[in-house]
Amino acid sequence: MIEYTYINDAEEIKDNISDNKCKIVHMKRKSNGYFINVICCQFSDEEQLKNNWEELVTNVADVVQKNLVKRIEIFNVYIIFFQSEINGVIEDSIEQNKYSSRKLVINKRMPESNEELKGIINQKLFELNIEKDDMGQKLVIKNIDFLNDFAREEQETALEEYISQQVKEKMNEENQ
């Protein structure tokens, strides 16, 4: 698994946060010669999240981002909010916010285990799983969708025959 370095600045990031039960874990991961900072947070309930998330984002900008030098590091700060049973409007508001960092809301409690937390971070931010569509590309142009019935190598010939037939029919119509 990718190595993460834990940063002990949770108390600074919690500055002016009214939720005493707020839990914060800040870690960074090295990637291609630069660091990616990930701050994970869980408030005690949805109301506390609603009241404090913007302050937390401001604190991350002040405590973490302003001390970064490399431009790529400044633009690679992520805040993950763990909150079970969250209102979709609040979730959208947080994730669409463009200030300072990229934000993600995960609708579950933040794991106690650091290994499980790292696994979730890797899965949500860094592991790109693209499934190939085995259906193949289908043609949807009216009147030539019949080409979907042919194997790929036969489609060109079938199309040529179709075009020839259409030309013959058009010429016959004009000659009548």
Side-chain angles (χ1 to χ4, degrees):
M1 187 173 273
I2 306 294
E3 282 298 311
Y4 286 87
T5 304
Y6 291 88
I7 313 298
N8 190 15
D9 58 1
E11 290 307 313
E12 294 172 75
I13 294 174
K14 286 183 186 179
D15 191 39
N16 293 322
I17 301 292
S18 63
D19 184 2
N20 294 332
K21 296 180 182 177
C22 175
K23 181 178 174 184
I24 294 176
V25 175
H26 176 193
M27 59 184 91
K28 65 182 180 179
R29 145 189 179 157
K30 191 163 187 106
S31 177
N32 299 320
Y34 65 93
F35 286 101
I36 299 169
N37 283 270
V38 180
I39 296 87
C40 298
C41 174
Q42 179 176 302
F43 289 99
S44 58
D45 57 38
E46 182 183 46
E47 189 65 26
Q48 290 294 334
L49 171 66
K50 182 180 174 183
N51 294 335
N52 289 290
W53 74 268
E54 290 174 301
E55 184 67 32
L56 184 117
V57 170
T58 300
N59 292 348
V60 167
D62 189 46
V63 173
V64 178
Q65 264 180 322
K66 82 172 187 182
N67 295 315
L68 300 174
V69 176
K70 293 182 180 177
R71 187 178 182 111
I72 194 166
E73 290 179 353
I74 293 168
F75 288 106
N76 275 287
V77 175
Y78 295 86
I79 303 174
I80 302 176
F81 294 92
F82 287 87
Q83 196 68 47
S84 57
E85 299 178 23
I86 185 167
N87 176 305
V89 174
I90 297 170
E91 181 178 356
D92 291 344
S93 177
I94 293 170
E95 290 184 343
Q96 297 303 316
N97 180 273
K98 303 293 184 218
Y99 176 68
S100 147
S101 52
R102 297 177 185 163
K103 297 153 203 76
L104 178 66
V105 178
I106 298 178
N107 195 344
K108 65 189 247 181
R109 297 195 61 75
M110 187 161 76
E112 296 295 325
S113 157
N114 285 340
E115 291 305 311
E116 189 178 345
L117 185 59
K118 289 189 285 189
I120 291 170
I121 291 168
N122 286 333
Q123 177 191 21
K124 296 291 185 180
L125 298 181
F126 304 113
E127 294 173 2
L128 183 60
N129 294 321
I130 300 174
E131 294 180 23
K132 182 179 178 190
D133 180 5
D134 292 332
M135 299 279 295
Q137 187 173 358
K138 297 289 185 189
L139 296 170
V140 292
I141 300 172
K142 188 176 180 178
N143 295 331
I144 64 168
D145 58 344
F146 70 90
L147 291 174
N148 290 326
D149 298 333
F150 291 93
R152 189 64 143 175
E153 55 277 355
E154 298 170 341
Q155 286 179 343
E156 185 177 347
T157 303
L159 182 58
E160 287 173 353
E161 290 173 5
Y162 173 78
I163 292 170
S164 292
Q165 180 65 33
Q166 293 299 310
V167 168
K168 285 179 188 174
E169 288 176 12
K170 187 70 172 170
M171 290 177 73
N172 285 339
E173 287 175 12
E174 291 177 358
N175 290 333
Q176 289 181 2

